[in-house]
Amino acid sequence: MLGTIVNSAAILIGGTVGLLLRKGISERFKQTVMQGLGLSVFVIGVSGALKTENMLVVIFSIVFGGIMGEALEIEEKLEMLGRWMEKRVGKGEGLVAKGFVTTSLIYCVGAMAIVGALESGMTGNHETLYAKSLLDGVSSVIFASTLGLGVLLSSVSVFIYQGLITIAAGSLANLLTDAVVIEMSAVGGLLIIGISMNILEIKKVPVGNLLPAVFIPVFYPLVQPVAQYFLQIIEVFL
């Protein structure tokens, strides 16, 4: 858990610095910075998504992960949690929920979060999470300067999410082949593209409801033939 603890602490420290800088940044600069961040997040997502070696698995994961997420109403529950936090600490800013949900998703669905937590749990190697901590710490300064306190609260999401993956990694070691990790990272990259669209206000993408898709590639040996069958059915209708 050391890597996850360091990661959460980096977000807290960076977010605190961002809050201190917030009052000195005009609204015009904040808007420009957020748009720049949105474009950067988009590039990160594309680079991750293109790593896939089996697009069928990615499509299948997104479709059925989305169905699962909608049934569980994950996005709505995340927003409710954000609004609950906002009532207690938001001071009427109206941005706590947005900052919490946006940065929680950014910090949790990326390839480094998944791969780093798996490495941490299976081998005790925390280097990937240390590198992620540095990146998250720097970005949290910028996010907190524009989105406020919700960014600091996302450190809790990171701790729980990566912590659970780290703890479960040992028991899932036999399932987590290189092919599985690659497809998990690719699906995560696709979700990051969705986050960038939300930041840029191009289209509201319910990324929270797509979160289960990240874990469907774990069942890669089962998913691959089912995905091929699924594609054949689509081709028949087309």
Side-chain angles (χ1 to χ4, degrees):
M1 291 289 289
L2 180 60
T4 294
I5 292 170
V6 171
N7 198 171
S8 299
I11 294 170
L12 281 172
I13 295 169
T16 301
V17 173
L19 285 179
L20 294 174
L21 294 174
R22 190 177 186 190
K23 293 182 179 179
I25 303 176
S26 70
E27 200 61 39
R28 182 167 58 91
F29 282 97
K30 290 179 183 178
Q31 185 176 6
T32 301
V33 168
M34 279 304 296
Q35 289 175 341
L37 280 173
L39 292 173
S40 300
V41 170
F42 177 80
V43 172
I44 292 170
V46 170
S47 64
L50 290 178
K51 291 179 180 178
T52 180
E53 295 179 353
N54 193 325
M55 185 54 71
L56 283 179
V57 172
V58 174
I59 296 171
F60 182 87
S61 298
I62 289 291
V63 171
F64 285 91
I67 292 172
M68 291 171 61
E70 283 291 340
L72 294 171
E73 297 182 332
I74 296 173
E75 181 92 358
E76 183 179 343
K77 289 180 173 63
L78 277 174
E79 291 179 352
M80 286 175 61
L81 178 59
R83 288 193 294 270
W84 177 82
M85 291 177 172
E86 187 166 325
K87 287 179 180 178
R88 282 152 180 77
V89 298
K91 301 177 183 178
E93 295 179 39
L95 283 176
V96 174
K98 181 180 179 180
F100 169 72
V101 174
T102 299
T103 51
S104 289
L105 292 172
I106 288 174
Y107 296 146
C108 288
V109 303
M112 292 184 80
I114 298 168
V115 175
L118 292 175
E119 287 180 349
S120 192
M122 289 191 293
T123 67
N125 181 359
H126 308 299
E127 288 184 8
T128 300
L129 287 186
Y130 289 158
K132 179 177 181 291
S133 300
L134 181 60
L135 294 172
D136 291 354
V138 172
S139 65
S140 66
V141 174
I142 303 171
F143 278 121
S145 68
T146 53
L147 293 176
L149 189 60
V151 177
L152 277 75
L153 299 176
S154 68
S155 63
V156 179
S157 303
V158 170
F159 181 80
I160 295 173
Y161 177 82
Q162 291 181 182
L164 288 175
I165 295 177
T166 300
I167 293 169
S171 57
L172 294 174
N174 294 331
L175 296 173
L176 297 171
T177 62
D178 290 341
V180 168
V181 173
I182 287 172
E183 300 311 321
M184 288 177 72
S185 299
V187 173
L190 205 54
L191 299 192
I192 288 176
I193 293 174
I195 295 170
S196 72
M197 293 178 71
N198 291 340
I199 294 174
L200 294 169
E201 299 181 350
I202 296 173
K203 173 73 176 178
K204 172 63 177 174
V205 180
V207 178
N209 287 342
L210 292 170
L211 274 178
V214 175
F215 301 99
I216 289 180
V218 170
F219 308 99
Y220 187 88
L222 297 174
V223 170
Q224 188 174 19
V226 175
Q228 290 174 337
Y229 179 71
F230 177 66
L231 181 63
Q232 289 172 356
I233 294 175
I234 293 176
E235 289 176 344
V236 168
F237 283 102
L238 294 177

